[in-house]
Amino acid sequence: METLKRVVQHDFHHLPQFHRAEEHRLKAIAHLFTYCEDDYLIALPLLLRSAEEVVPGWNDATSVYGYAGPVASHERIPEPIVRNFQGALKEALVERRVIAAFSRLHPLIVQHDLLAGLGECRASGRTVSIDLTLPLEKQRAQYRSINKRRINKQRREGTVACLCDQEKRYWSEFVNIYGETMRRVNAAQTYFFGEEYFNELARELGSVLHLFVAVIGDKIAAAGLFTICNGIVNSYLSGTRDEFIEFSPMTLMIDTVRLWANEIGARVFHLGGGVGAKEDSLFHHKVGFSDRRHDFTTWRCIVAPETYRELSEQRARMNELQGLQPTSAEYFPAYRCPTVPCAPAKTDGAEIKNTRPRIYLSPPHLGEAELELVKDAFASNWIAPLGPHVDAFEQEFAGYLDVRHAAALSSGTAAIHLALRMLGLRPGEEVICPTLTFAASANPIVYEGGTPVFIDSEETTWNMDPTLLCEELVACAANGRLPRAVIVVDLYGQSADYDPILDACARREVPVIQDSAEALGATYKGRKAGTQGRCGVFSFNGNKIITTSGGGMLVSDNPELIERARFLAMQARDPAPHYQHSTIGFNYRMSNVLAAIGRGQLRVLGERIASRRRNFERYKAVLGTAPGIGFMPLASYGEANYWLTCITIDPEKFGATREDVRLALANHNIEARPIWKPLHLQPVFAHCRVRGGSVAETLFARGLCLPSGSSLTDPELDRVCAIILDTQK
Ligand SMILES: Cc1ncc(COP(=O)(O)O)c(C=O)c1O
């Protein structure tokens, strides 16, 4: 403490009390490395911990949670003295058998000059602060308008009250809320501080530490710890109860803390950065309070290079043997990096992406196997329609779905068309179809002279609402005019709720065609989507989860149906040596080359689903806590294939419309698409009947499909999220 009294500037992170609390958490011993020369003093607090579990007799050094780093007696320290300090520090670290030293530097106290040249000072992100030396109105003028509106509304309605809990009566509530928040955002284990730590923190820091709580009604909705030291108010740890997320009580809490910080004469309110200094939703929430940013730097110094290299290599070998991979290539020291089970290798497609900065909605993702199979098609001269790859693709596809028969066709649309033709659709007859889908689901009805009748979506899955379908079938039966068929779509990779749908249709003997174009690999109650109805349809166009550049498949357990489909798809050629036709046919067969691609793609379908699921989970982790953002709900009756991650944006709560977000992404060369425009709103179908429609209309108004390709990288996903969160103004 005596040393700290001599330095120009320090924060609570440098206090011995804080180091004591951190000593227990990290099982480490705090050391203040001090160097004095002439009138100058430089001090660096570090925590030394044993590296016994990796190599006996060695230690490494780290800094407290948050921002520490060196402090000094003068704003500027002469260079020779800095060099001498660094020499002495190195010696002290060597003496204590330290392999590597790491410290987060304080973004408000410029410190890297003191460590530059000794190891590496690396830019690691940015933090946000509010300049409290500005007049109050000028501080508030930097708030995003959505935050101002939110605060005004909350103050007006008196629903949220914030208070500084001096006696820390709500301490255990805070501990619970913090834990709940960390679980909600899927935080890494390192962010889960136990109750014991918090108690020790409160004991050690005393009046430096303040607990603020936000109250809605009679419940604590959010709580946060803030410190005050040397004119710096620092936001330490905080959380919001799950049930109050949409009210964003944290916004009013930050405003209240700001006012309090002004009252007590603080100079700056340091809000900090995102989780792990990333520019995530937390960072973007903070950015909504101030334009002021600070560079956050970390210091990494390898003190014993030989040992460091050996340990890192040894750790890499162990990881490989155990099928583990480090969570970050940046982690220091590398041999302490937390690990996760290895994801499937994603080497294919990576090159294409690096040379193409545009982020597409759902681009093709091809690999080596496809090329080999296509080469085989070339080598055998089976280029024209049909050939061994078509037969094999059909068999493998049917095997994958556990369905008896499959016919490979030129597109998914062709498959729907053939299905309708085979079910005997005649001009003037009706076919029921969901309104929330791509036009290709309904177009073939019109090809055959039929009339689509549209059904709204259910909110719980966005798929066709079974209750409305039942109502429509009852009404049709009452009019003595049942539809020729019902087309059910498995939207955006999630299967519809088939039990009630099939039941309602079976009772009236109306066959069901499943348009599972988007849902290959999804399941309904343990069986693959597309296998529940009379026949199922799949698409392999360029944006689907697997692609043949263009193509489709019709599947069914009924051999005659598939046989007939093949016949119609090949111009309905009667068995004769010459070209003989007694029926009008189509040119709808898949070529052997494309089937070869399809076979390769089918082999990696499992990986593609896993990658798209990862996209969804990452989007959910980063955007899921932003107010007003919702995700397509996932039903418990099956597994989705996560083809596209779809969100909804409530403009009132989010502060920007779906279109604002889409255009912001487009400006950054990122493709995102509105949710399907309901077919009953399409000019070509304006004359068609619709049952319900408001759910689909709202989804169209608010819904956005985000880039979801299986070759998307984490930095690309983060870029998309950052732009979305940035539109919140
Ligand atoms: C729901 C739905 N149905 C049908 C199709 C048509 O498939 P294709 O493009 O292969 O004709 C698509 C995709 O394009 C689709 O998303």
Side-chain angles (χ1 to χ4, degrees):
M1 203 58 221
E2 283 311 306
T3 309
L4 286 185
K5 278 187 194 147
R6 285 185 56 195
V7 305
V8 188
Q9 217 184 357
H10 71 268
D11 195 0
F12 88 95
H13 300 92
H14 300 96
L15 294 175
Q17 299 92 306
F18 185 47
H19 278 79
R20 275 202 290 274
E22 288 285 272
E23 275 185 330
H24 291 145
R25 186 176 70 85
L26 293 169
K27 299 190 179 56
I29 295 168
H31 273 269
L32 185 63
F33 291 88
T34 312
Y35 180 78
C36 298
E37 188 175 330
D38 301 338
D39 207 15
Y40 296 100
L41 173 142
I42 308 174
L44 174 67
L46 285 174
L47 290 156
L48 294 195
R49 56 186 171 173
S50 159
E52 197 71 30
E53 75 279 10
V54 274
V55 47
W58 287 86
N59 301 299
D60 45 30
T62 187
S63 60
V64 289
Y65 182 72
Y67 316 104
V71 282
S73 57
H74 297 70
E75 294 277 359
R76 294 235 155 268
I77 305 279
E79 225 188 289
I81 296 185
V82 170
R83 269 202 305 277
N84 292 345
F85 153 70
Q86 292 187 355
L89 174 63
K90 177 101 185 253
E91 230 171 72
L93 292 171
V94 170
E95 206 174 285
R96 284 171 179 78
R97 291 179 65 79
V98 168
I99 310 161
F102 171 85
S103 180
R104 297 178 196 87
L105 306 190
H106 201 299
L108 303 183
I109 309 172
V110 181
Q111 303 162 313
H112 46 267
D113 290 1
L114 298 173
L115 291 167
L118 180 66
E120 183 197 358
C121 286
R122 185 182 294 188
S124 300
R126 289 184 303 163
T127 63
V128 184
S129 81
I130 301 176
D131 181 356
L132 304 179
T133 61
L134 295 174
L136 281 177
E137 328 74 69
K138 286 229 166 115
Q139 294 169 21
R140 197 180 147 101
Q142 292 185 19
Y143 281 21
R144 277 197 175 129
S145 38
I146 177 140
N147 285 344
K148 289 186 213 154
R149 280 202 304 276
R150 229 176 244 151
I151 291 165
N152 289 343
K153 189 163 180 273
Q154 292 176 343
R155 287 234 161 84
R156 223 177 24 247
E157 293 175 353
T159 47
V160 180
C162 279
L163 63 111
C164 177
D165 181 17
Q166 298 283 18
E167 287 89 49
K168 304 196 176 72
R169 276 168 300 157
Y170 296 112
W171 191 250
S172 55
E173 285 262 12
F174 160 75
V175 175
N176 287 337
I177 291 176
Y178 177 76
E180 191 172 303
T181 305
M182 290 303 109
R183 280 189 293 279
R184 184 176 62 242
V185 301
N186 254 333
Q189 208 47 42
T190 40
Y191 293 102
F192 284 86
F193 304 118
E195 183 154 11
E196 194 35 52
Y197 170 72
F198 284 121
N199 291 341
E200 186 153 12
L201 200 66
R203 261 197 316 274
E204 290 289 353
L205 288 181
S207 62
V208 168
L209 189 71
H210 293 263
L211 172 63
F212 277 77
V213 290
V215 187
I216 296 185
D218 57 356
K219 287 193 178 157
I220 306 291
L225 293 182
F226 298 85
T227 57
I228 165 74
C229 184
N230 272 334
I232 304 173
V233 168
N234 195 89
S235 167
Y236 188 49
L237 297 168
S238 55
T240 304
R241 277 247 182 262
D242 293 350
E243 63 182 294
F244 293 110
I245 272 289
E246 63 174 297
F247 296 101
S248 191
M250 197 61 81
T251 309
L252 187 62
M253 184 187 293
I254 289 180
D255 191 49
T256 311
V257 176
R258 175 183 68 93
L259 295 173
W260 166 81
N262 276 287
E263 257 169 46
I264 60 168
R267 279 179 295 113
V268 52
F269 180 11
H270 190 212
L271 297 172
V275 177
K278 285 209 200 81
E279 302 212 347
D280 57 4
S281 63
L282 179 64
F283 176 78
H284 284 275
H285 183 246
K286 293 175 176 180
V287 161
F289 293 92
S290 170
D291 296 338
R292 201 157 72 154
R293 312 276 175 275
H294 307 275
D295 290 329
F296 165 55
T297 310
T298 52
W299 172 65
R300 296 133 193 261
C301 178
I302 298 175
V303 185
E306 262 307 285
T307 316
Y308 186 90
R309 194 179 45 76
E310 270 169 31
L311 281 181
S312 304
E313 285 172 4
Q314 185 185 322
R315 180 67 190 266
R317 275 195 304 277
M318 288 302 289
N319 286 346
E320 202 178 321
L321 286 174
Q322 294 170 351
L324 299 171
Q325 63 184 14
T327 49
S328 158
E330 296 282 294
Y331 201 92
F332 188 86
Y335 52 82
R336 281 208 188 255
C337 184
T339 50
V340 287
C342 287
K346 286 219 282 182
T347 49
D348 44 353
E351 269 169 25
I352 303 169
K353 211 165 38 321
N354 290 343
T355 55
R356 196 175 54 190
R358 179 161 171 78
I359 300 183
Y360 289 91
L361 184 74
S362 180
H365 183 175
L366 297 174
E368 288 298 313
E370 289 83 329
L371 196 57
E372 286 311 308
L373 288 155
V374 169
K375 278 188 200 155
D376 174 78
F378 268 72
S380 58
N381 210 26
W382 280 106
I383 300 296
L386 297 185
H389 285 298
V390 175
D391 297 338
F393 187 30
E394 289 177 344
Q395 274 168 27
E396 286 160 9
F397 198 82
Y400 171 78
L401 289 182
D402 194 17
V403 69
R404 302 259 275 284
H405 306 281
L409 302 170
S410 56
S411 70
T413 314
I416 300 174
H417 190 189
L418 290 181
L420 288 168
R421 168 63 69 94
M422 288 180 303
L423 293 176
L425 175 61
R426 280 188 297 274
E429 288 185 331
E430 291 182 339
V431 174
I432 292 180
C433 173
T435 185
L436 191 66
T437 182
F438 182 45
S441 303
N443 283 345
I445 305 170
V446 183
Y447 300 167
E448 291 295 302
T451 307
V453 174
F454 297 117
I455 304 284
D456 202 357
S457 298
E458 54 175 358
E459 273 170 359
T460 46
T461 65
W462 299 7
N463 275 311
M464 184 195 267
D465 185 330
T467 313
L468 292 181
L469 170 67
C470 274
E471 284 173 21
E472 182 59 32
L473 286 172
V474 169
C476 290
N479 289 335
R481 225 171 153 244
L482 280 169
R484 174 56 57 191
V486 172
I487 297 174
V488 182
V489 177
D490 299 325
L491 199 71
Y492 293 125
Q494 168 162 250
S495 127
D497 190 4
Y498 279 100
D499 280 352
I501 291 174
L502 291 176
D503 182 54
C505 291
R507 277 204 248 152
R508 293 162 187 94
E509 295 183 23
V510 177
V512 168
I513 299 170
Q514 284 176 270
D515 178 354
S516 305
E518 301 168 359
L520 177 59
T523 59
Y524 178 72
K525 299 196 172 166
R527 271 191 67 84
K528 291 281 182 330
T531 62
Q532 286 74 14
R534 180 74 60 89
C535 54
V537 167
F538 294 89
S539 164
F540 310 118
N541 85 20
N543 70 15
K544 293 297 181 288
I545 195 153
I546 62 170
T547 182
T548 58
S549 79
M553 192 75 83
L554 183 72
V555 303
S556 177
D557 278 333
N558 182 328
E560 288 91 46
L561 202 139
I562 295 300
E563 215 24 72
R564 179 89 185 145
R566 291 195 185 112
F567 166 74
L568 288 173
M570 287 186 295
Q571 305 287 21
R573 278 161 56 183
D574 292 338
H578 53 277
Y579 288 100
Q580 170 85 17
H581 306 275
S582 16
T583 313
I584 297 292
F586 305 93
N587 184 7
Y588 276 173
R589 232 11 194 144
M590 180 181 277
S591 86
N592 198 48
V593 180
L594 301 195
I597 300 176
R599 292 182 69 196
Q601 287 269 283
L602 190 59
R603 291 175 197 173
V604 289
L605 174 59
E607 289 169 34
R608 300 296 184 259
I609 295 174
S611 305
R612 289 187 188 245
R613 184 186 180 132
R614 261 193 69 241
N615 295 340
F616 170 81
E617 281 164 358
R618 199 167 178 102
Y619 279 132
K620 193 127 201 225
V622 183
L623 301 175
T625 49
I629 293 206
F631 283 75
M632 181 174 87
L634 295 177
S636 56
Y637 54 58
E639 277 288 324
N641 73 356
Y642 300 89
W643 174 50
L644 296 186
T645 294
C646 304
I647 59 168
T648 52
I649 297 166
D650 178 340
E652 284 293 300
K653 292 183 182 147
F654 185 66
T657 63
R658 180 262 277 149
E659 210 39 20
D660 292 336
V661 172
R662 192 187 67 77
L663 290 172
L665 290 169
N667 278 340
H668 287 83
N669 211 13
I670 296 172
E671 185 186 20
R673 290 281 174 113
I675 297 289
W676 297 125
K677 178 171 179 176
L679 297 186
H680 72 271
L681 300 181
Q682 298 286 1
V684 282
F685 297 121
H687 60 288
C688 298
R689 206 162 68 243
V690 58
R691 186 165 286 268
S694 59
V695 175
E697 285 167 23
T698 308
L699 288 171
F700 171 55
R702 298 185 163 187
L704 190 67
C705 306
L706 300 181
S708 302
S710 41
S711 47
L712 268 182
T713 60
D714 287 354
E716 284 174 328
L717 284 163
D718 291 343
R719 197 177 130 209
V720 175
C721 291
I723 293 163
I724 295 175
L725 292 168
D726 249 351
T727 57
Q728 277 189 79
K729 277 253 183 221

